[in-house]
Amino acid sequence: MRDPRFWWRAESMAGSLLHPIGLIYGLAAGARIGRPGQRVGVPVICVGNLTLGGAGKTPTALYVARGLAACGAQPVFLTRGYGGALAGPVRVDPTHHDARAVGDEPLLLARAAPTIVARDRVAGAVAACAAGADV
């Protein structure tokens, strides 16, 4: 598969419009990557990418968690709870929470392993540790 030729024409309208957006995104990503990370006391495995839906992130996370649990680990999922109203950190309880509160994906994940919804990832990781996570 090859890129469309119009992407590389100097007079390309799409290229002209997207260039400033690309610069802003690059600056924001560079600033975020440049910040020092924070340690939470347990290994963190990130399953994610820039794709919004349908890339297989949830099935992959479930597969990894099952494998870790089979090896004796205590995995805990940490998610931002896309679509849910709660900012967290909150441990998802499928008998108490619904998709409006925590999002639909955390409800699915919570059936496999403890799941924390938190928009603040560091606070969520701390809550995951408190919930017994060793990974």
Side-chain angles (χ1 to χ4, degrees):
M1 180 174 202
R2 288 199 248 168
D3 51 341
R5 289 185 186 179
F6 70 85
W7 282 5
W8 302 107
R9 279 188 264 166
E11 69 276 2
S12 170
M13 179 72 127
S16 297
L17 292 173
L18 294 176
H19 183 73
I21 295 169
L23 286 175
I24 292 168
Y25 182 83
L27 289 171
R32 186 175 182 131
I33 289 170
R35 291 190 310 213
Q38 295 187 352
R39 297 200 180 272
V40 293
V42 299
V44 175
I45 300 171
C46 180
V47 177
N49 57 25
L50 295 176
T51 305
L52 294 178
K57 295 181 297 289
T58 301
T60 299
L62 289 166
Y63 180 81
V64 169
R66 279 190 210 109
L68 289 166
C71 293
Q74 299 293 319
V76 174
F77 292 112
L78 174 58
T79 177
R80 295 186 69 157
Y82 178 76
L86 297 178
V90 63
R91 184 170 176 168
V92 178
D93 178 355
T95 63
H96 175 70
H97 295 110
D98 62 12
R100 287 184 305 262
V102 296
D104 58 349
E105 180 183 77
L107 290 172
L108 175 66
L109 295 171
R111 291 189 175 129
T115 301
I116 304 294
V117 167
R119 303 243 166 87
D120 178 333
R121 289 185 177 125
V122 175
V126 170
C129 289
D134 60 13
V135 63

